[in-house]
C-alpha cells in the first residue's frame, strides 16, 4: 500500500494536462517558491509565468523584482498578479500594485486573485464587492493598458458569483480535473498546485490556457 501511495504521489507532482489539449502552459510563483532557475524552467517546462506582485494594501512580494526580471530574461511571457483582500480599500490595493509593477507593453495582462484569506473575516455584500472590484480593475487596467484577468476560487465564486458580476476573462482552479463552477467558461485553469519542476525547489502552481 505504501508503494502504491508513493507511486501515486510521484505521478501527481509531475503531472500536467496534455499539450495537445492545452498547448500553452506555465506557472504562477511567489516568494514561497524560493529562488528560481528561470532558464531551466523555460527550457524544460513553461511558456509563461505569472509573478505575484502584491497582496492587499500593504504587502509587496519580496521576490517580485527578481522573478519578473528572471522570467523576462529567460524568454518567457510574463505577467503580474495581485491577491485581493476584502479587508483593504480597493484604491489602496490598486495603488500598491501600480507602485510595484512597472509599466511594460510586453507584459501579459494583470491578474487579480480572489479567495478567502483566513486572516480577514470581513464579508461585505455582493454589490459592495463587485463595485470595489470594478474600481480596482479599472485602476490597474489604466496602468497596464490591458484588460485584467480574474482568478477566482470555487469558494469565493460560490459566495459572490464573480463570473456573472465581473465582465473579465475568468481563471479558475482545481487540481487535476477541469473546473466548472463558474457561471461562464474559463480561459485559464490552475490544473495543479503541487507540481515539481526542474529549476524550482518548492511545488508550484501549474496553469494552462484553453484553446
Amino acid at each position: 500500500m505504501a508503494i502504491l501511495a508513493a507511486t501515486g504521489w510521484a505521478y501527481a507532482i509531475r503531472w500536467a494536462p496534455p499539450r495537445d489539449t492545452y498547448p500553452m502552459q506555465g506557472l504562477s510563483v511567489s516568494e514561497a517558491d524560493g529562488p528560481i532557475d528561470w532558464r531551466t524552467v523555460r527550457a524544460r517546462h513553461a511558456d509563461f509565468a505569472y509573478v505575484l506582485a502584491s497582496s492587499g494594501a500593504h504587502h509587496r512580494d519580496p521576490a517580485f523584482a527578481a522573478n519578473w526580471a528572471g522570467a523576462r530574461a529567460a524568454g518567457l511571457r510574463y505577467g503580474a498578479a495581485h491577491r485581493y483582500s476584502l479587508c483593504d480599500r480597493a484604491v489602496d490595493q490598486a495603488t500598491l500594485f501600480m507602485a510595484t509593477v512597472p509599466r511594460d507593453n510586453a507584459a501579459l495582462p494583470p491578474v487579480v486573485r480572489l479567495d478567502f484569506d483566513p486572516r480577514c473575516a470581513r464579508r461585505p455584500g455582493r454589490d459592495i464587492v463587485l463595485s470595489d472590484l470594478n474600481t480596482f480593475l479599472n485602476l490597474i487596467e489604466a496602468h497596464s493598458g490591458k484588460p485584467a484577468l480574474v482568478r477566482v476560487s470555487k469558494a469565493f465564486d460560490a459566495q459572490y458569483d464573480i463570473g456573472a458580476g465581473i465582465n473579465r476573462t475568468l481563471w479558475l482552479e482545481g487540481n487535476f480535473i477541469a473546473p466548472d463552477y463558474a457561471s461562464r467558461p474559463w480561459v485559464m485553469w490552475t490544473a495543479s498546485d503541487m507540481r515539481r519542476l526542474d529549476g524550482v525547489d518548492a511545488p508550484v502552481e501549474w496553469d494552462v490556457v484553453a484553446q
Side-chain angles (χ1 to χ4, degrees):
M1 202 66 178
I3 293 174
L4 288 175
T7 301
W9 177 252
Y11 175 78
I13 63 176
R14 294 292 178 182
W15 177 86
R19 286 271 180 177
D20 56 352
T21 305
Y22 303 102
M24 292 291 295
Q25 303 196 15
L27 68 163
S28 298
V29 298
S30 70
E31 64 172 319
D33 296 297
I36 297 173
D37 181 344
W38 282 104
R39 294 194 181 279
T40 297
V41 170
R42 173 67 181 99
R44 300 187 186 179
H45 304 287
D47 305 304
F48 64 87
Y50 266 98
V51 180
L52 183 66
S54 50
S55 301
H58 306 289
H59 181 74
R60 289 178 171 169
D61 192 284
F64 172 74
N67 284 334
W68 182 262
R72 181 176 55 196
L76 285 160
R77 301 197 69 190
Y78 55 94
H82 174 82
R83 285 195 186 119
Y84 192 84
S85 173
L86 294 176
C87 284
D88 292 327
R89 294 174 64 238
V91 170
D92 295 337
Q93 295 188 64
T95 298
L96 178 64
F97 180 85
M98 293 185 292
T100 304
V101 180
R103 293 179 185 270
D104 187 340
N105 291 334
L108 293 168
V111 172
V112 57
R113 187 172 185 179
L114 306 176
D115 197 4
F116 293 119
D117 184 341
R119 296 167 296 183
C120 172
R122 186 168 181 262
R123 298 292 182 266
R126 182 171 183 264
D127 288 347
I128 292 173
V129 170
L130 295 181
S131 176
D132 287 349
L133 274 172
N134 273 309
T135 296
F136 175 85
L137 290 167
N138 289 335
L139 288 169
I140 69 166
E141 287 170 348
H143 176 74
S144 67
K146 300 177 176 72
L149 282 69
V150 174
R151 177 176 171 178
V152 58
S153 73
K154 185 175 183 178
F156 199 98
D157 194 66
Q159 180 150 340
Y160 290 113
D161 193 9
I162 295 298
I166 299 290
N167 185 24
R168 299 294 193 285
T169 297
L170 284 183
W171 177 337
L172 304 185
E173 304 171 344
N175 282 337
F176 311 120
I177 298 172
D180 61 359
Y181 55 80
S183 56
R184 54 189 173 84
W186 52 269
V187 173
M188 295 277 291
W189 164 33
T190 297
S192 174
D193 61 9
M194 62 181 72
R195 190 165 186 212
R196 302 306 296 257
L197 304 178
D198 299 329
V200 190
D201 289 337
V204 300
E205 296 174 335
W206 191 249
D207 313 311
V208 301
V209 182
Q211 292 197 72

